[in-house]
Amino acid sequence: MANFSKSNVPRFSVDVYQNEYLPEGGREVNAIVTVTSTGGGTTGGVPLTGASSTPSALPRQGPNAAVVIMVDCSGSMDYPPTKMRNARDATAAAVDTLRDGVAFAIVGGTHVAKEVFPGNGRLAIADRGTRAQAKEALRRLSAGGGTAIGTWLRLADRLLSTADVAIRHGILLTDGRNEHEAPEDLRAALDSCAGRFTCDARGVGTDWEVKEVTAIASALLGTADIVADPAGLAADFTSMMENAMGKEVADVALRLWTPVGVEIAFIKQVAPTVEDLTGRRTEAGPRAGDYPTGSWGDESRDYHVCVRVPEAGIGQEMLAARVSLILPAPGDGAPEVLSQGLVRAVWTDDMAASTSINPQVAHYTGQAELAQVIQQGLDARKSGDFDDATAKLGRAVQLAASSGNADTAKLLSKVVDVVDAATGTVRLKAKVADADEMTLETRSTKTVRVKKQ
């Protein structure tokens, strides 16, 4: 493990967990890479009154973050009328959570995107006055029109691009399906916005499409969740904004360098959620590629790296991969290496050593399978293939129980009757509430951390 940092960014560390031993002829090397950031040196905006100016908390000049909140204002938000009121209240709560000096705007989304506050293609700077003005503007929000989420995202991107800040973030709320633009238009908008800002997406009620909302969060490296009861929106929006205000450094990339002859099988984030990053590689020099990880505050995430090495004889060893955390430099400067770790391969004739599965690798392989079989099981249930649905969701129950993923086990128990968790024996429930099924699907990728040995 290596650790590097500058005083104005969190300190990053990388720990690699693996069984480096391979049998003769063995080629697949698996490693769990734990990335931890601690001790960022800013508040996310200009210093609050009385903030320390010690070397570890150097204030930045001006705001360090910009946030755009996108609120669904389509006609369905009036059914029931409390939904629109709760959305207004939740957005007001998020505005109250903004730190002084953070740039922000509010967008109303229908089949077109409209600037609610401050208007004229600008961002406001959060202080007591602009918060009050924003909440006054929110009172005038009403429901009417269709849903074209791509237009909301493109407007958010234009607004955020006007801010010279490190952290650009969006919060998006929808209650319905994206019916007023083609799926390829939403995909094009996501492709255009990817890497420019991160975005948390929320579906309120039960009339929206889970795969649309999770695709938005996935593409923009944010979180997705359901708020089945609109009364829970204010607490959820407050929590999301608090998390956004805790981000201190953006655009961190996980760089994977591999020697000649080594192939990359996959690289996935496996905690706190499963996210396959393999297809998001951008080339970064000879035999090196960067994978986006988004914005960081004080937090820890786990990644599963799997590579295939050339065959080698007993007693030989090699560096299979080098994993680095990279922070781009302004302009054309050289990027900063925040931390790095090494993945090794050693060939042995000790069968006990070469067949032992590292606990971290085993745990997260199971968590990735858990996310996959939940999605497959729910899709099979929707298509009427109840035998396959029972088998897949039974396997999910078994994996959730064996890994200690109690939250997912609880969600599964609302979709199936568990006969025996240890063997994955279940029966599909005859009736399942839409909210329960959607909650399980939306949260299927959430994982539990491996228990430290």
Side-chain angles (χ1 to χ4, degrees), residues 179-191:
E179 294 175 334
H180 292 85
E181 66 180 353
E184 52 268 27
D185 292 336
L186 176 57
R187 173 44 58 190
L190 290 171
D191 289 344

Side-chain angles (χ1 to χ4, degrees), residues 157-178:
D157 184 32
R158 289 197 297 274
L159 291 168
L160 289 167
S161 69
T162 66
D164 183 16
V165 295
I167 306 295
R168 294 183 179 87
H169 189 71
I171 289 176
L172 185 148
L173 174 72
T174 184
D175 82 321
R177 293 171 176 83
N178 197 44

Side-chain angles (χ1 to χ4, degrees), residues 54-402:
T54 60
S56 63
L58 294 173
R60 292 182 189 263
Q61 295 302 310
N64 185 42
V67 181
V68 173
I69 305 171
M70 294 159 272
V71 185
D72 192 334
C73 296
S74 61
S76 58
M77 286 291 287
D78 249 351
Y79 301 96
T82 52
K83 196 190 294 181
M84 193 72 230
R85 186 176 74 242
N86 286 132
R88 286 193 295 263
D89 291 346
T91 307
V95 167
D96 278 336
T97 312
L98 287 163
R99 288 203 172 107
D100 282 351
V102 170
F104 77 103
I106 300 169
V107 167
T110 58
H111 52 284
V112 293
K114 295 181 180 179
E115 297 178 48
V116 174
F117 181 82
N120 297 319
R122 298 176 297 112
L123 295 167
I125 303 301
D127 60 25
R128 184 176 299 174
T130 55
R131 288 192 197 93
Q133 292 164 19
K135 288 186 283 187
E136 181 62 33
L138 282 169
R139 293 190 183 99
R140 298 191 291 272
L141 273 190
S142 59
T147 305
I149 294 173
T151 66
W152 314 356
L153 292 165
R154 289 185 185 276
L155 176 55
D157 184 32
R158 289 197 297 274
L159 291 168
L160 289 167
S161 69
T162 66
D164 183 16
V165 295
I167 306 295
R168 294 183 179 87
H169 189 71
I171 289 176
L172 185 148
L173 174 72
T174 184
D175 82 321
R177 293 171 176 83
N178 197 44
E179 294 175 334
H180 292 85
E181 66 180 353
E184 52 268 27
D185 292 336
L186 176 57
R187 173 44 58 190
L190 290 171
D191 289 344
S192 173
C193 296
R196 295 175 57 81
F197 66 95
T198 55
C199 185
D200 294 322
R202 295 293 184 267
V204 60
T206 57
D207 294 326
W208 48 281
E209 180 61 49
V210 171
K211 287 180 171 57
E212 285 179 352
V213 169
T214 54
I216 292 166
S218 175
L220 302 182
L221 299 174
T223 63
D225 208 350
I226 179 174
V227 185
D229 182 351
L233 278 174
D236 188 73
F237 266 45
T238 299
S239 175
M240 272 194 292
M241 189 62 82
E242 286 174 346
N243 185 58
M245 293 298 93
K247 301 298 185 182
E248 313 238 27
V249 58
D251 302 325
V252 175
L254 194 152
R255 178 169 293 177
L256 197 61
W257 177 90
T258 51
V260 172
V262 174
E263 305 164 11
I264 297 168
F266 63 78
I267 177 167
K268 300 175 183 177
Q269 178 183 287
V270 287
T273 57
V274 176
E275 188 67 58
D276 194 340
L277 303 177
T278 313
R280 302 193 189 189
R281 176 186 174 101
T282 56
E283 296 305 314
R287 301 191 303 281
D290 287 352
Y291 301 85
T293 68
S295 302
W296 288 74
D298 278 12
E299 59 189 295
S300 182
R301 306 180 200 170
D302 292 336
Y303 299 87
H304 186 172
V305 175
C306 179
V307 297
R308 296 188 186 96
V309 295
E311 290 186 27
I314 299 300
Q316 291 190 265
E317 60 179 271
M318 69 174 291
L319 174 63
R322 182 172 64 238
V323 183
S324 307
L325 269 292
I326 301 295
L327 183 64
D332 296 324
E336 181 187 3
V337 178
L338 299 171
S339 188
Q340 65 180 27
L342 305 178
V343 180
R344 300 171 64 238
V346 180
W347 284 265
T348 180
D349 55 6
D350 182 337
M351 288 297 292
S354 64
T355 58
S356 174
I357 300 176
N358 176 270
Q360 276 86 353
V361 171
H363 175 83
Y364 285 123
T365 300
Q367 293 291 286
E369 184 189 354
L370 172 60
Q372 182 181 48
V373 291
I374 288 173
Q375 292 288 335
Q376 291 172 342
L378 291 176
D379 288 345
R381 185 178 177 277
K382 290 174 188 174
S383 68
D385 188 346
F386 299 125
D387 287 344
D388 190 43
T390 302
K392 291 293 196 301
L393 294 173
R395 175 61 176 157
V397 166
Q398 184 182 37
L399 287 165
S402 63

Side-chain angles (χ1 to χ4, degrees), residues 7-82:
S7 61
N8 62 343
V9 298
R11 289 179 290 276
F12 282 79
S13 64
V14 168
D15 292 287
V16 176
Y17 301 94
Q18 66 164 138
N19 176 12
E20 64 264 41
Y21 293 104
L22 297 176
E24 186 172 14
R27 295 192 58 207
E28 186 170 283
V29 179
N30 288 275
I32 299 300
V33 178
T34 296
V35 179
T36 304
S37 71
T38 55
T42 69
T43 62
V46 294
L48 302 177
T49 303
S52 166
S53 59
T54 60
S56 63
L58 294 173
R60 292 182 189 263
Q61 295 302 310
N64 185 42
V67 181
V68 173
I69 305 171
M70 294 159 272
V71 185
D72 192 334
C73 296
S74 61
S76 58
M77 286 291 287
D78 249 351
Y79 301 96
T82 52

